[in-house]
Amino acid sequence: MRMSPIYDSTEHHERDIFLTEICESGDVLRRTAGRLREQRRALHEVRHRLAGRRLILTGMGSSADAVTGLASVLGRSGRESTVINTAELLHFRLASLTDQHGVIIVSQSGHSVEAVKLMNALTKDRAIPVVVVTNMADSPLADAADFAITLGAGVEVGPSSKTYVATMLVMQVLAELLACDDEVETVLARAGHRADVAANALAAWIGDAEGVGGRLADWIEKAQSLFVVGRGVGVTAAELNALVLKESAHVPAQSMDAAEFRHGPLELAAPGLAVALICVEPSVAALDARLRTDLLSRGAAVMTIGIDACRTDDLPIDYVLPGSEPLIDAGLIALPLLLAAWAEASRRSETPGAFSVGAKVTTCE
Ligand SMILES: N[C@@H]1[C@@H](O)[C@H](O)[C@@H](COP(=O)(O)O)O[C@@H]1O
């Protein structure tokens, strides 16, 4: 796939499509909030259909990352949910679904093979309500679904960036619809306000997109191996960042829960190891600080990317945002390493973000 550069008249230079899409993330947040308002009736129905049900949350790739964050936030409000990647659910666990369950399938493209196959398998059993979240209203997944909530993020050609950020805003709205009693209108009004604030918060990084990405890419290039770790909803951003670093820049970044990192991978702490620590959960900031100190004391390099509420003397944050709600934070905080992925990709290829082995949309299992 050859991607043509897009001329950006405001910046007076050419930006390729991957960078353009990353930089659209702020505008897309506002657009998605507006799109959600247009779908208020469908959102009422989602709440009604899933009320009291045991929730199964599923997706692949960046969409699996998004539902992982949703499960974390639902759990804080006492709402049980289970995350199962769509392939695992499709091939091994369909028999575990009962008429007590409700399923949320997230797929940006609405074309991922496992999601489409799962949808077809589930529509045979109408007792299980299925809600789809997708960017593509015109897709096999949306067509087969009773309820498809669409992102309205516009077409995305490069690796997940603006659609991921938009998905996280929708995850926030779903978390509120499924775990609190506020009126749909109230939830949507809050989402609109938060989208606005979040878009403004991203402006500084987007305004210096090449600089932010380039500096982080320089840091990554010095390392022999790279981990991206976080806790709570930070896992979502860590997974997404490592995925995009791999698929766009061929950087073999590994992601995991920062708690899991202590259970073995910590042995790698030495010069040559770089750890990007996503700090978006203030309740565990002291644990993040301790991990950072332990890594530094062994000669590893640590870069912290997080929200202001996590910042302490022991946990300086290198790339900081004011912070909003956890799921929105998990979307926004991915920006610096997305920009690094772009910068690294653009050093390696004339068409940064173009897939050469896999694909933007996986239609083959
Ligand atoms: N290479 C892409 C990933 O980047 C993407 O995250 C995943 C899920 O895509 P979707 O959300 O469209 O189902 O599919 C493909 O494998």
Side-chain angles (χ1 to χ4, degrees):
M1 178 174 52
R2 166 116 197 148
M3 293 193 286
S4 39
I6 285 181
Y7 182 68
D8 180 331
S9 57
T10 51
E11 299 287 328
H12 299 290
H13 59 242
E14 280 187 347
R15 279 185 164 176
D16 61 79
I17 196 145
F18 184 21
L19 181 58
T20 301
E21 288 175 348
I22 298 171
C23 293
E24 283 172 0
S25 295
D27 292 341
V28 159
L29 278 167
R30 295 192 177 101
R31 224 183 296 156
T32 298
R35 182 80 193 95
L36 286 172
R37 282 195 292 278
E38 293 165 11
Q39 301 176 90
R40 49 172 63 77
R41 287 180 63 177
L43 290 168
H44 269 286
E45 200 59 35
V46 166
R47 174 182 260 176
H48 173 68
R49 291 278 178 126
L50 296 180
R53 288 185 175 271
R54 303 179 66 192
L55 296 174
I56 302 291
L57 313 179
T58 190
M60 295 299 286
S62 52
S63 294
D65 303 337
V67 295
T68 304
L70 175 58
S72 177
V73 169
L74 287 173
R76 298 165 204 205
S77 322
R79 182 87 198 248
E80 179 207 350
S81 63
T82 304
V83 175
I84 311 176
N85 88 45
T86 314
E88 170 75 13
L89 182 55
L90 174 69
H91 293 298
F92 304 112
R93 299 209 218 167
L94 266 187
S96 71
L97 296 189
T98 69
D99 59 9
Q100 313 272 303
H101 283 103
V103 179
I104 300 179
I105 306 176
V106 180
S107 172
Q108 177 279 125
S109 63
H111 278 85
S112 284
V113 57
E114 299 90 347
V116 174
K117 285 188 181 176
L118 176 68
M119 189 72 223
N120 290 333
L122 291 176
T123 46
K124 292 190 188 119
D125 180 358
R126 308 304 296 185
I128 302 175
V130 183
V131 169
V132 160
V133 177
T134 183
N135 192 37
M136 303 307 282
D138 187 13
S139 63
L141 191 60
D143 286 348
D146 285 343
F147 291 100
I149 303 301
T150 53
L151 306 178
V155 174
E156 185 178 72
V157 176
S160 307
S161 61
K162 63 178 181 175
T163 61
Y164 163 73
V165 177
T167 300
M168 295 315 293
L169 179 67
V170 176
M171 294 298 104
Q172 175 63 31
V173 166
L174 287 181
E176 293 178 37
L177 290 179
L178 296 172
C180 83
D181 296 331
D182 291 344
E183 292 295 330
V184 173
E185 285 303 327
T186 309
V187 172
L188 289 174
R190 271 201 302 256
H193 173 69
R194 287 171 179 156
D196 232 20
V197 173
N200 290 336
L202 284 185
W205 286 344
I206 289 174
D208 182 28
E210 287 94 340
V212 170
R215 286 187 291 276
L216 271 169
D218 290 344
W219 179 76
I220 287 169
E221 282 180 10
K222 285 191 206 115
Q224 284 155 20
S225 60
L226 172 67
F227 277 75
V228 190
V229 303
R231 286 173 183 255
V233 296
V235 175
T236 289
E239 297 277 355
L240 178 280
N241 278 145
L243 169 70
V244 176
L245 278 159
K246 284 185 279 247
E247 66 182 359
S248 68
H250 298 182
V251 172
Q254 196 172 332
S255 52
M256 63 172 56
D257 189 308
E260 290 284 5
F261 189 85
R262 280 203 174 271
H263 290 260
L266 188 59
E267 282 301 309
L268 298 171
L273 174 73
V275 177
L277 182 54
I278 308 289
C279 308
V280 283
E281 297 282 13
S283 66
V284 291
L287 305 182
D288 288 341
R290 188 182 304 149
L291 179 61
R292 174 179 172 274
T293 304
D294 292 350
L295 287 165
L296 290 175
S297 72
R298 292 289 176 162
V302 182
M303 188 67 74
T304 48
I305 304 170
I307 59 169
D308 200 39
C310 291
R311 180 158 45 181
T312 62
D313 288 347
D314 293 338
L315 189 63
I317 308 281
D318 298 305
Y319 290 82
V320 69
L321 278 183
S324 170
E325 294 301 306
L327 290 165
I328 296 175
D329 292 341
L332 306 188
I333 215 64
L335 255 284
L337 284 173
L338 280 172
L339 290 168
W342 164 78
E344 191 57 36
S346 66
R347 290 173 189 180
R348 294 174 184 223
S349 155
E350 270 179 38
T351 53
F355 292 82
S356 53
V357 184
K360 162 83 175 155
V361 178
T362 299
T363 53
C364 170
E365 281 192 275

